[in-house]
Amino acid sequence: MIFRNRPLVRLGAAALLASGVFTAVGSPAQAAGTETDLSLDVVGTKVADGATGKYAFAKVTNKGENTPSELGVRIDVSKLDYSKVAVYPFVEKACDVEAEPGKPPTSVTCWATEEALPGPGETIDLPVVLVKMVESLDEAYSAPVGFTVLSKDDTNKENNTKSATIEFTKESGADLAVLADDVKNAVTVKNGKIQAAGDLHAGGTAQLIYDVWNQGDVATAGFKVTVKLPKGVTFTEAEDECEYAADRASLVCTYPDLPFIPLEQYTGDGDAVPGGSFYHLLSVGADVTAGALTGGTVSVEPILPAKGLTTQSTEIKNLPDNMTPIETDDLDASDNSDGYAVVVAAEGGGGGGGGGGGGNGNDDGGLPVTGAKAGLLGGVGVAVLAAGGAMFLVARRRRVVLVTPGDEKPTA
């Protein structure tokens, strides 16, 4: 799997190591007509006490009118105590590391590949591993980490930096995260399967795909998701678990008996899973103007088991009739919501075909349409999540790349 704009992050070590959005590639010269406004946000920087670590994300959104010729993210880790914790991008190839010989890094810089450069309204995500370098911390630990967007094409430097506090807490709880793909492809439903159908045009049908998973140290009983669509887009079909606004431009779906165990606890055995991929079919208005329709969001909140139930209840398929799930605050709410764009191509022109989520699964003839349309995509997200349990072991091995950068430098 190759990550493209608004990648479908499958969260397993194998999937992230196979990603190609950010890598140590050369920085090209500025091209004419590539000036734009790149904006940076950082989410998911708070770690539960019982978790070894988690994925945070640096999100770069193109708020301008052109596609940049280059895009890099620099992470300042000079304030971290590497005897306790480590922070670094989790990508296929080593990024450019600044460090004195034999000492921890002071910064790490990754450049986006050409195919991953975000068009107007689009976003790309850089996964960043936060991991304990010891078995456990005696007390809570926090430190500032700086993030900076690098691009010759950026015309607005005011939204290019973000200082995030990395927190390894002594708190326990569920910690849901969500990532939503930019919608860039049309789809059709043929013989009960969803098929990719090229660029998305006005009047077409598309597919919104998002991933939800639990990075905390407490299992959920289920979760609630709220989806808002950009103006000019509506939901194609109604789903039993969801309530729709009158204009069919937003919904709330409640899954009280869809439990997610903590990612690190997933073994691949039994029925318990740490998360999965979901989708909805969308209809684009026939009068919509070509371009990026922004303002779409996907937000999730956990539902915890009723008091007294153990984590073993995460394998049950249906909660007892006399049980009412309890909704609760998420340990780290910063990664509970994600924005996305619906990219509409002009008739006869290029658009988003070949981008993020619309064509997912078409290599094997399309995605089967079974059960609720927002249900788990059988095996797509969960199978790769099986590698997630090994993620932090991989992370600890990869710390050598950080403290001994060697010759891993981008070419000119």
Side-chain angles (χ1 to χ4, degrees):
M1 180 184 65
I2 298 177
F3 290 174
R4 294 184 175 88
N5 291 32
R6 218 43 170 160
L8 267 180
V9 178
R10 295 307 180 203
L11 315 176
L16 283 175
L17 287 171
S19 69
V21 165
F22 283 89
T23 184
V25 299
S27 175
Q30 184 173 358
T34 56
E35 299 83 2
T36 194
D37 178 14
L38 300 175
S39 176
L40 175 68
D41 195 16
V42 179
V43 302
T45 58
K46 187 175 182 179
V47 184
D49 181 38
T52 305
K54 68 179 290 187
Y55 295 115
F57 290 90
K59 300 171 177 288
V60 183
T61 300
N62 186 346
K63 295 188 174 182
E65 298 181 355
N66 299 308
T67 300
S69 62
E70 65 166 16
L71 190 163
V73 176
R74 181 179 184 271
I75 308 175
D76 182 350
V77 293
S78 60
K79 305 298 184 182
L80 288 179
D81 183 348
Y82 268 77
S83 68
K84 296 180 178 180
V85 304
V87 172
Y88 60 89
F90 202 41
V91 295
E92 181 181 10
K93 299 179 182 179
C95 297
D96 186 21
V97 179
E98 295 181 17
E100 296 182 10
K103 293 185 178 181
T106 56
S107 72
V108 184
T109 302
C110 299
W111 292 91
T113 58
E114 183 177 356
E115 69 171 1
L117 295 170
E122 298 174 8
T123 301
I124 58 174
D125 302 277
L126 173 62
V128 180
V129 170
L130 318 180
V131 63
K132 296 174 184 175
M133 302 304 287
V134 293
E135 290 302 319
S136 63
L137 296 170
D138 294 333
E139 58 185 14
Y141 175 83
S142 64
V145 174
F147 294 79
T148 304
V149 169
L150 306 175
S151 178
K152 299 183 183 71
D153 301 301
D154 200 311
T155 59
N156 179 14
K157 306 300 182 182
E158 294 183 359
N159 54 7
N160 284 17
T161 61
K162 184 75 67 171
S163 179
T165 299
I166 305 302
E167 298 181 76
F168 287 79
T169 74
K170 300 304 290 184
E171 304 173 52
S172 289
D175 184 8
L176 293 186
V178 61
L179 281 179
D181 282 6
D182 286 330
V183 180
K184 301 176 65 176
N185 296 93
V187 299
T188 60
V189 179
K190 295 181 179 179
N191 300 321
K193 291 186 176 182
I194 299 174
Q195 306 273 2
D199 291 338
L200 178 62
H201 299 287
T205 300
Q207 183 184 31
L208 169 65
I209 300 177
Y210 53 91
D211 287 354
V212 183
W213 73 101
N214 182 6
Q215 300 196 99
D217 57 3
V218 173
T220 68
F223 73 99
K224 179 185 291 186
V225 59
T226 301
V227 180
K228 297 181 179 179
L229 302 180
K231 185 177 181 180
V233 183
T234 57
F235 291 102
T236 304
E237 299 176 318
E239 301 158 26
D240 294 340
E241 296 87 351
C242 306
E243 298 181 0
Y244 295 79
D247 60 0
R248 299 184 65 81
S250 64
L251 61 70
V252 177
C253 303
T254 303
Y255 304 98
D257 56 354
L258 182 56
F260 289 157
I261 62 172
L263 178 61
E264 289 182 69
Q265 295 180 15
Y266 186 53
T267 64
D269 299 327
D271 296 320
V273 297
S277 300
F278 298 78
Y279 71 97
H280 305 277
L281 294 178
L282 311 180
S283 298
V284 178
D287 58 348
V288 166
T289 302
L293 308 180
T294 60
T297 59
V298 179
S299 303
V300 296
E301 56 183 294
I303 300 174
L304 289 191
K307 186 176 181 180
L309 286 186
T310 66
T311 55
Q312 280 70 32
S313 65
T314 55
E315 293 200 21
I316 60 178
K317 293 301 184 181
N318 295 290
L319 297 180
D321 293 338
N322 61 347
M323 171 186 164
T324 301
I326 299 173
E327 296 178 26
T328 183
D329 293 335
D330 194 281
L331 181 73
D332 182 357
S334 68
D335 51 6
N336 283 32
S337 184
D338 194 27
Y340 64 91
V342 175
V343 182
V344 180
E347 291 293 341
N360 183 41
N362 64 326
D363 290 342
D364 61 357
L367 295 171
V369 181
T370 57
K373 300 301 186 292
L376 285 169
L377 299 184
V380 176
V382 176
V384 184
L385 276 166
M391 181 191 75
F392 298 112
L393 295 177
V394 173
R396 285 177 173 171
R397 288 199 300 270
R398 284 170 60 90
R399 72 182 184 274
V400 177
V401 174
L402 289 177
V403 300
T404 310
D407 297 325
E408 296 290 350
K409 301 290 184 182
T411 56

